[in-house]
Amino acid sequence: MTTLRPLRMDDLFKFNNINLDVLAETCNVPFCLQHISQWPEAFAVAEAPDGSLVGHMLGKAEGMGKLWHGHVSAVTVAPTCRRLGLARTLMEDLDKLSTDVYNAHFVDLFVRASNGLAIGMYESFGYVKYRRVLGYYSGDDVEDAWDMRKALPRDKNKESTIPLDHPIRPEDLEW
């Protein structure tokens, strides 16, 4: 049985089977260390019975006022463990943390506009396409992202998930 547990520092060296995949957005070690130092409670790993890691969630809390929210910086599941509900479990863990600890209004994430499988998965978890961010992903393959959001109980009227009717640029993002 796979179990969720908090990240330990040496876990950073056990992610290859999870991150070396075309669908995975990888985070470098300094990025991970910054998140761990600020939001250690929001970094969970999924550990298989043999001790290997088969998934991870890197989250945080940010914003102010009605924009106070949980954010999914990365959620990744090893190819051999996909379609088993592990991503849902990791996402629900951050939802619970964002509700019970952060008292956030919503949880958001960014996903490549071309990644239809991930978009469909997030929609099945209750996320909606809030706004398109033009050129969010840089590098050789510049690509737009969807900013997807899921309202939490604090946002009783789900104001945080009412889609914008126009795209924005990365420099227009609040956080």
Side-chain angles (χ1 to χ4, degrees), residues 6 19-20 22 25 27 41 45 52 79 81 83 86 90 92 97 102-103 115 117 126 143 147 150-151 171:
N19 286 341
L20 296 180
V22 301
E25 293 293 335
C27 302
E41 70 284 353
V45 296
S52 65
C81 295
R83 300 194 176 273
L86 191 50
L90 288 162
E92 287 172 350
L97 180 71
Y102 299 147
N103 194 26
N115 193 343
L117 281 175
E143 186 174 347
D147 176 358
K150 179 179 181 179
E171 58 267 22

Side-chain angles (χ1 to χ4, degrees), residues 18-19 21 23-25 54-57 74-78 82 90:
I18 303 169
N19 286 341
D21 173 25
L23 296 177
E25 293 293 335
V54 294
H56 66 78
M57 160 65 74
V75 60
T76 308
V77 174
R82 292 195 179 136
L90 288 162

Side-chain angles (χ1 to χ4, degrees), residues 30-40 43 58-60 73:
F31 181 84
C32 288
L33 291 175
Q34 176 190 359
H35 272 68
I36 294 165
S37 69
Q38 292 183 290
W39 304 281
F43 203 151
L58 177 58
K60 65 180 180 177
S73 296

Side-chain angles (χ1 to χ4, degrees), residues 139-155:
D140 293 337
D141 297 321
V142 175
E143 186 174 347
D144 296 352
W146 280 108
D147 176 358
M148 298 186 73
R149 293 183 175 187
K150 179 179 181 179
L152 296 176
R154 185 172 181 192
D155 182 6

Side-chain angles (χ1 to χ4, degrees), residues 16 62 92 94 106-107 152 156 160:
N16 283 353
E62 61 187 0
E92 287 172 350
L94 185 65
F106 61 95
V107 176
L152 296 176
K156 293 178 184 8
S160 62

Side-chain angles (χ1 to χ4, degrees), residues 71 108-114 129-138 142-149 164 166-175:
H71 176 73
D108 79 342
L109 58 87
F110 295 93
V111 61
R112 289 182 180 274
S114 65
K129 292 178 185 173
Y130 174 68
R131 59 187 171 184
R132 191 175 191 109
V133 184
L134 304 173
Y136 180 81
Y137 292 99
S138 59
V142 175
E143 186 174 347
D144 296 352
W146 280 108
D147 176 358
M148 298 186 73
R149 293 183 175 187
L164 291 186
H166 61 280
I168 66 164
R169 299 201 168 277
E171 58 267 22
D172 298 324
L173 290 167
E174 298 86 2
W175 312 108

